[in-house]
Amino acid sequence: MKKNLVFLGPPGAGKGTQAKRLAKDLGLVHISTGDILRDAVKNQTPLGKKAKEYMDRGELVPDDLIIALIEEVMPPEGGVIFDGFPRTIAQAEALDEMLDRKGLKLDAVILFDVPDEVVVERLSGRRVCPSCGAVYHIKFNPPKEDEICDRCGTKLVQREDDREEVVRNRLEVYRKQTAPLIEYYERKGILIRLDASKDIDEVYQELRKVV
Ligand code: ADP
Ligand code: AMP
């Protein structure tokens, strides 16, 4: 049966970067709630309109909206990497309940362990393609041509919520609302800690070893 994984860790830890690669190599579906929400904001859908104010402030979008979203995008046969979800105990409980109902289970929760200063450096240098969503870093993963997306040629931008004032709040929100999930999954015996402070290829090698 295909695996169901959760990638847990602070913003900027490298979850999305690794999830894209692992999903491709293992044939899993990458579900990033952040990506789905940013798309919804861009397309001004009802969800996007509700979520925007929270995202702009670096706060969490209300649990009921996120849980409804996950129910909608979850493939019935599983085989998923959840990236940036769950972020609260209520979301984790809803996920357990949903998987149970579908006869699925979580195989592992990978904790991306990185010190705060690394996170700040990664977030401040992150650049994204507004058109295809590709993610770069000005120093650690630069595009071939300065500030231009390798995949589609669009000019890269900085995410609104990667500005310093918002980053501080996002880290605080992570500590208060999301970090309690570490203990939640440790108790279930499915938490795997990953040293995510190494470079992108090294982290990926480690990840392949543990999953
Ligand atoms: P998250 O999804 O956890 O918020 P991202 O995958 O978007 O994090 O990574 C944050 C930034 O750090 C991006 O600019 C990305 O290119 C860069 N990055 C990701 N992993 C590493 C790594 N192992 N070393 C250096 N930079 C990284
Ligand atoms: P991310 O791309 O994972 O850094 O998420 C960007 C923003 O989207 C977060 O700061 C939240 O405002 C919102 N968001 C993403 N995932 C969730 C979630 N599981 N629960 C609540 N809000 C979320």
Side-chain angles (χ1 to χ4, degrees), residues 57-69:
R57 291 197 300 261
E59 275 156 29
L60 295 185
V61 173
D63 286 335
D64 55 336
L65 294 178
I66 299 291
I67 293 164
L69 168 68

Side-chain angles (χ1 to χ4, degrees), residues 25-49:
D25 289 353
L26 298 187
L28 299 173
V29 180
H30 173 206
I31 297 183
S32 158
T33 42
D35 284 351
I36 298 171
L37 291 168
R38 275 183 293 280
D39 256 2
V41 170
K42 194 163 92 182
N43 297 323
Q44 298 185 11
T45 67
L47 171 66
K49 285 180 188 159

Side-chain angles (χ1 to χ4, degrees), residues 11 57-58 120 123 161-175:
R57 291 197 300 261
V120 170
L123 289 175
D161 60 350
D162 280 347
R163 285 176 297 117
E164 201 190 320
E165 324 82 80
V166 189
V167 163
R168 254 182 273 126
N169 193 34
R170 285 163 68 206
L171 287 175
E172 193 56 31
V173 165
Y174 174 77
R175 252 178 238 116

Side-chain angles (χ1 to χ4, degrees), residues 3-8 13-26 28 30 80-83 107-113 190-211:
K3 285 188 193 310
N4 295 299
L5 306 171
V6 164
F7 282 10
L8 180 65
K15 304 180 297 295
T17 301
Q18 301 293 337
K20 285 191 185 112
R21 199 157 156 185
L22 190 69
K24 200 164 149 226
D25 289 353
L26 298 187
L28 299 173
H30 173 206
V80 167
I81 302 176
F82 294 105
D83 160 14
D107 295 277
V109 174
I110 314 290
L111 175 64
F112 283 64
D113 227 347
I190 54 170
L191 190 87
I192 299 175
R193 283 172 197 269
L194 188 74
D195 176 4
S197 60
K198 301 185 187 143
D199 74 33
I200 295 176
D201 287 338
E202 284 173 311
V203 174
Y204 189 68
Q205 298 316 319
E206 279 302 306
L207 185 59
R208 287 305 299 260
K209 272 188 216 154
V210 299
V211 296

